[in-house]
Amino acid sequence: MKIAFTADGTNWDAMIDPRFGRTAYLVIYNEESDELQGFDNSAVKNEAHGAGTATSQRIFELNPDVLITGNGPGDTAAKALAHMKLKIFTGAQDLTLRQAFEKYKNGELKEF
Amino acid sequence: MINRTPFKIAIASGKGGTGKTTLATNLAACIAEQQEVVLVDLDVEEPNSGLFFEGRLLHSEDNLKMIPQWDESKCTLCGLCPKLCNFHAIIQLGPSILVFPELCHSCYACSELCPAGALPMIPRAIGKLNHFQNGRLHHIESRLNVGEEQAVASIAKSKKYAADKLPYVNVHLYDSPPGTSCPVVEAIKDADFVILVTEPTPFGLHDLTLAVETTHKLEKSFGVVINRDGLGNNEVIRYCQAENIPVLARIPNNRRIAELYSAGRLIYPEFPEIREALKDILDYCLSAERSRP
Amino acid sequence: MKEIVVISGKGGTGKTSITASFAVLEGTRVVLADCDVDAADMHLLMQPDFENEDNFFSGELAYIDQSNCTRCGLCEQICRFDAISVSNGKYTINPIDCEGCGYCARVCPTQTIINKKLMAGKWYISNIKTGSHMVHARLEAGADNSGKLVAKVKNEAKELALEEQKEYVLVDGSPGIGCPVISSLSGATFVVLVTEPSVSGLHDLMRVHQLVKKFKIPSGCIINKADINPEKTSEIKDFLLSEEIIHLGDLPYNEDFTKAMIEGKTIVELDRGTLPANLKDIWEQIKILTT
């Protein structure tokens, strides 16, 4: 399983970025290889419009099975994400990636 | 008879809530006592002037925006269209092209540059234009659907509708959106005269200076109406005197006016001095030199 | 860190005065962001020092380099915004009409059209009288793309808040429901809707609430000038109830809003009447709702 997080940093102690489209980083955790990899999203973050669609495009390319984020994607991004085989969990703002991942494992996050 | 075009007066302000709609609706109703008049509500995000009239709906139509529609059968998945779009309104997810109509600016680049012709443009409704009539008063509003971002095209459409359908009416009033950026520019750029409504407070003065800057940039003749006169201080008056900006009228600060407004009622029928002020404002506007074309 | 956005749909409801009061109440724990970039007024109450200043470049605008132009006219034909005009055989682009789509530059056979970044304003990080910071901006008159400037101001405020471990980012949003408002809503923890009991106030509240719903952000509402039309006030309360918007409180019609403004102060600093206590109650509620 590959799990994607919206985050303000690239390690396990980084905080979940509550925003989807304008998240600072996308972080991918690969459960099989136990690898954590961060992707800078700052180019998209500062766009005036279309941050949601642009970040969705990146999610598609990174191809995770699960996305963990804060507020949840807005309407436009949600439409884009609906085209992918991806489970989305929201409400992880104020958690570190580690805490968010634990909550996800325990089934404590809300599915979008 | 000389074929005249209507005299177009835009009522604007930098700051929201200074009384643009109050002035626009009262001025329109007051003019309509004597002659035909058109009031075009260009605050397409939050159109309010209709709340002050009981009009008969004469005409209603969708405001359309052209957007590309993906034709899967023609698409070769070359990957060009997402790169062409400066607004991220098209993305490619593997074998699918997705179009996001709210983000599209209708520039046609993707459609016309697609080598396979797989993105024909189709119309999409983004709001409604309504034309109401109440005696001599024509009221036209465009109402943007919530979630649509682009106000400018609907503003242009309302003005054009009024110009095409009611060219014989001498006075067209534009109730503009607040602010100083693109929707405001669209609302006032072809007006013959601009009335800037402000209030005598520090916020009112600051936003007035911004609105004056925008109006100057567009090379418009303009004057100021001070609403809630007596509420704050004299800085707005001083500024207008120092800058040689004509003050067309001062509408007093009065709780009764606020109450009438809150209930969706016109104010001048209860205040003879405001009726006089409205007449003065109109006379001044009409005598002002038409702005450069 | 919580991001609280104050918006109103309709202008002139007291949004900025109320936001500024919250910022003073919470003091050093708040970074303020003035996202009403079209008509930014917050600085009049906050005594900012404009310590850091930076230029803001908005989207791109097309520009024709005359020396290489072969006057083929293709750009004029394809422009859907009537932004390109020709006089005496010379093609020029009107920056007011240019939408920045970049189409003309893509099709110009001699690549003589370039996309220029447009200086659309300035943005600032200031020290303010609360002992904290404010991020604010000034849009050039008539400039395009205030949505992007809003995004910039908000992002900078947020980064500052994270860096300095502040509790709150408090955002003063802009009126309307269009692109600047959409920009200021994205990523918010909680939305405070400020309205007034008038036909326009309710009408605009309903529309802006529809927008907030799309973002799935929890919201609460303050009814300012509540006593000016009790009937409308109760109509608004019914609406809040039916839409599950938390009613944060009512404020009376009070010219102290203006008196404070003239002194360059927030209402809570005026320390007169019941308004400061009302605002304090409301702010405490918001804090509880966002924990």
Side-chain angles (χ1 to χ4, degrees), chain B residues 226-230 250-255 257 271 273-274:
Chain B
I226 300 176
N227 193 14
R228 303 193 186 107
D229 189 35
R250 300 162 76 153
I251 298 170
N253 181 40
N254 183 318
R255 191 181 160 115
I257 293 177
F271 292 85
E273 68 273 28
I274 290 178

Side-chain angles (χ1 to χ4, degrees), chain A residues 12-85:
Chain A
W12 281 111
D13 295 320
M15 298 297 290
I16 293 286
D17 196 320
R19 300 171 299 183
F20 174 73
R22 293 182 203 281
T23 181
Y25 293 92
L26 288 168
V27 177
I28 300 283
Y29 174 56
N30 188 327
E31 278 187 308
E32 282 80 55
S33 60
D34 194 26
E35 269 177 328
L36 196 68
Q37 204 181 356
F39 299 87
D40 186 0
N41 201 44
S42 58
V44 174
K45 193 176 127 182
N46 293 320
E47 290 275 354
H49 299 291
T53 51
T55 301
S56 300
Q57 176 90 62
R58 300 203 68 190
I59 289 281
F60 179 84
E61 284 152 15
L62 296 168
N63 196 25
D65 305 285
V66 170
L67 167 67
I68 297 174
T69 183
N71 295 327
D75 274 11
T76 315
K79 268 185 229 158
L81 294 170
H83 287 256
M84 306 173 204
K85 274 182 279 170

Side-chain angles (χ1 to χ4, degrees), chain B residues 9 11 20-41 49-50 52-53 134-140 169 171-175 195 266-269 274-275 278-279 281-282:
Chain B
I9 302 169
I11 296 154
K20 277 184 304 295
T21 300
T22 306
L23 180 64
T25 51
N26 281 276
L27 189 57
C30 186
I31 295 171
E33 290 181 350
Q34 308 290 332
Q35 54 169 300
E36 277 196 280
V37 62
V38 183
L39 172 61
V40 192
D41 191 338
S49 53
F52 296 82
F53 305 111
N134 178 342
R136 298 189 191 90
L137 190 148
H138 290 271
H139 171 238
I140 292 156
V169 179
V171 178
H172 287 204
L173 299 175
Y174 295 164
D175 187 2
I195 301 174
L266 297 171
I267 54 172
Y268 76 90
I274 290 178
R275 182 192 294 268
L278 292 172
K279 283 186 179 144
I281 292 170
L282 181 67

Side-chain angles (χ1 to χ4, degrees), chain B residues 113-165:
Chain B
L113 296 178
C114 172
L119 287 165
M121 298 295 279
I122 57 158
R124 163 191 158 91
I126 56 163
K128 262 206 157 31
L129 179 148
N130 296 314
H131 175 181
F132 301 93
Q133 189 180 9
N134 178 342
R136 298 189 191 90
L137 190 148
H138 290 271
H139 171 238
I140 292 156
E141 65 158 37
S142 281
R143 190 166 277 271
L144 203 63
N145 291 342
V146 176
E148 293 290 343
E149 299 203 9
Q150 288 135 44
V152 171
S154 296
I155 293 170
K157 170 81 185 294
S158 292
K159 290 188 300 183
K160 187 171 182 319
Y161 177 92
D164 291 348
K165 293 285 160 73

Side-chain angles (χ1 to χ4, degrees), chain C:
Chain C
M1 196 233 356
K2 315 279 189 286
E3 194 173 316
I4 298 167
V5 179
V6 186
I7 52 173
S8 63
K10 180 173 163 20
T13 57
K15 174 175 60 65
T16 302
S17 294
I18 290 170
T19 312
S21 295
F22 294 160
V24 167
L25 287 171
E26 198 61 27
T28 54
R29 293 163 21 114
V30 172
V31 172
L32 255 183
D34 189 352
C35 285
D36 188 356
V37 297
D38 258 46
D41 287 327
M42 186 69 92
H43 62 277
L44 298 170
L45 303 180
M46 285 294 150
Q47 293 159 15
D49 63 357
F50 296 83
E51 188 181 51
N52 289 296
E53 174 186 308
D54 207 346
N55 290 331
F56 168 71
F57 294 92
S58 81
E60 295 174 336
L61 283 193
Y63 173 78
I64 300 177
D65 174 6
Q66 298 298 337
S67 59
N68 285 322
C69 178
T70 59
R71 302 182 173 181
C72 69
L74 185 59
C75 54
E76 190 205 1
Q77 281 167 37
I78 57 95
C79 179
R80 281 295 184 307
F81 309 103
D82 294 329
I84 302 178
S85 57
V86 54
S87 77
N88 300 328
K90 185 179 161 187
Y91 288 85
T92 50
I93 294 173
N94 179 356
I96 286 177
D97 292 317
C98 177
E99 192 86 2
C101 68
Y103 191 2
C104 55
R106 290 185 208 282
V107 298
C108 174
T110 54
Q111 276 117 48
T112 189
I113 302 181
I114 48 170
N115 291 312
K116 266 196 174 171
K117 290 258 177 210
L118 183 81
M119 227 284 268
K122 288 187 186 301
W123 65 276
Y124 314 91
I125 299 178
S126 290
N127 297 298
I128 52 175
K129 66 182 181 189
T130 60
S132 185
H133 302 289
M134 167 162 106
V135 183
H136 49 130
R138 197 196 145 105
L139 199 65
E140 292 268 302
D144 189 4
N145 233 331
S146 50
K148 190 170 177 181
L149 185 52
V150 167
K152 178 81 191 164
V153 167
K154 238 178 72 141
N155 282 332
E156 291 295 334
K158 203 191 146 176
E159 262 162 43
L160 201 62
L162 284 171
E163 218 171 273
E164 302 192 342
Q165 298 183 329
K166 303 281 191 194
E167 226 45 43
Y168 301 98
V169 172
L170 195 54
V171 179
D172 188 12
S174 44
I177 58 164
C179 61
V181 183
I182 291 173
S183 274
S184 61
L185 281 176
S186 82
T189 318
F190 190 79
V191 174
V192 179
L193 302 159
V194 181
T195 189
E196 59 175 41
S198 65
V199 286
S200 323
L202 177 57
H203 170 268
D204 295 357
L205 172 69
M206 287 172 161
R207 279 172 67 84
V208 83
H209 169 65
Q210 273 185 58
L211 184 67
V212 173
K213 266 209 310 210
K214 279 177 183 276
F215 280 84
K216 304 182 174 65
I217 307 167
S219 60
C221 180
I222 299 170
I223 308 176
N224 193 11
K225 310 173 199 171
D227 52 339
I228 208 117
N229 188 333
E231 223 173 283
K232 274 283 165 237
T233 298
S234 71
E235 224 177 289
I236 292 174
K237 284 180 184 163
D238 290 343
F239 171 74
L240 299 181
L241 210 60
S242 69
E243 289 291 321
E244 295 176 2
I245 305 166
I246 298 149
H247 177 218
L248 296 167
D250 292 346
L251 299 173
Y253 177 83
N254 193 322
E255 291 181 3
D256 282 352
F257 271 90
T258 309
K259 285 178 186 136
M261 195 194 291
I262 286 168
E263 292 178 33
K265 285 183 179 165
T266 60
I267 308 149
V268 289
E269 291 165 287
L270 210 58
D271 202 18
R272 190 162 66 189
T274 55
L275 273 179
N278 294 343
L279 282 163
K280 204 166 176 210
D281 284 350
I282 291 171
W283 176 242
E284 290 302 324
Q285 261 193 78
I286 294 170
K287 282 168 69 176
I288 291 166
L289 288 167
T290 52
T291 44

